[in-house]
Amino acid sequence: MISIYELKPKFQQLLMPIVNFLHNKKVTPNQVTISACLLSILTGVLFYFNTESAWIYAVIPVFMFIRMAMNAIDGVLAKKFNLQSRLGKFLNELTDVISDTVLFIPFILLVQTFPVSVVIFIALSIISEMAGVISESVSGGRRYDGPMGKSDRAFLIGVIAILLLFSIPLQPYLHFIFLAASLLICLNIYKRVINGMEVKR
């Protein structure tokens, strides 16, 4: 099944001027990673306390794109200039989970029916990333299988925010959206486990 993650190589190429600029300014991958997390927390807090304000639904999709860019930049910066570190591995995985959780929690306030669907979505998102990380220790390769991987989830949240921005009455159906997305995450967990058991040669 197609995942936005498959577009990552082309996206990284477009970001190369920014990567080179940041390297020239002595910015490290870990600084980019931490900055992305702090911005995610700030956006999540603003979202939580402004769910009834229209402007926040314009901010969210823009920030989701910026966050995806920053997530790609820190990786390219580390690999291209040999700046990988053990701390960077921890930060990369932990900050992604923290960021997702903080950005998704406010939707609990918007779901009119079965708000626990958002909790299920968040929990499965965390399990999905755990499955990807565990596969690295088992087979030597981090798994990013879709559908509904990290980039897909960011895209989904951005689309939901845009629809809400234009006053499309989505709230009565949000729980269906999160439950459907959760089923797709279950599929990606299965794929990551199965593919993660294959030893890389």
Side-chain angles (χ1 to χ4, degrees):
M1 192 173 290
I2 296 175
S3 171
I4 292 175
Y5 181 78
E6 295 174 14
L7 302 175
K8 187 175 180 179
K10 292 183 179 179
F11 188 45
Q12 288 176 332
Q13 290 178 3
L14 294 174
L15 295 171
M16 286 310 300
I18 299 176
V19 171
N20 293 329
F21 173 79
L22 292 175
H23 178 66
N24 291 334
K25 295 297 182 180
K26 309 299 182 184
V27 175
T28 68
N30 289 352
Q31 288 173 336
V32 176
T33 303
I34 293 172
S35 296
C37 184
L38 292 177
L39 287 173
S40 296
I41 293 171
L42 175 61
T43 304
V45 171
L46 288 174
F47 184 17
Y48 187 86
F49 290 105
N50 293 278
T51 54
E52 296 183 359
S53 302
W55 63 268
I56 194 66
Y57 299 104
V59 169
I60 290 172
V62 173
F63 175 71
M64 285 298 182
F65 179 80
I66 293 173
R67 183 191 163 204
M68 282 195 290
M70 294 180 76
N71 284 342
I73 288 170
D74 63 4
V76 176
L77 196 59
K79 291 177 181 177
K80 181 178 180 180
F81 300 105
N82 195 28
L83 297 173
Q84 296 100 327
S85 66
R86 293 182 179 181
L87 176 60
K89 290 281 285 184
F90 279 98
L91 289 176
N92 189 53
E93 299 296 345
L94 293 175
T95 57
D96 275 345
V97 172
I98 293 169
S99 298
D100 279 353
T101 301
V102 174
L103 289 166
F104 299 161
I105 280 177
F107 281 97
I108 293 175
L109 303 178
L110 297 176
V111 176
Q112 296 178 353
T113 307
F114 200 57
V116 76
S117 60
V118 180
V119 177
I120 294 171
F121 178 75
I122 293 171
L124 288 172
S125 297
I126 295 172
I127 294 170
S128 170
E129 296 311 307
M130 283 184 62
V133 172
I134 293 172
S135 70
E136 188 168 13
S137 63
V138 173
S139 64
R142 172 55 157 100
R143 299 302 310 184
Y144 296 96
D145 306 77
M148 208 48 62
K150 180 173 62 178
S151 299
D152 301 323
R153 295 192 296 269
F155 179 77
L156 173 65
I157 296 303
V159 170
I160 291 174
I162 291 173
L163 294 176
L164 293 174
L165 174 64
F166 288 100
S167 300
I168 295 176
L170 202 62
Q171 284 91 333
Y173 312 102
L174 276 177
H175 65 292
F176 289 121
I177 295 174
F178 282 110
L179 288 175
S182 295
L183 288 175
L184 292 176
I185 297 174
C186 287
L187 177 57
N188 101 28
I189 293 171
Y190 172 79
K191 290 174 63 178
R192 292 182 183 196
V193 171
I194 295 300
N195 294 330
M197 289 190 290
E198 298 178 2
V199 179
K200 292 184 68 177
R201 298 184 185 278

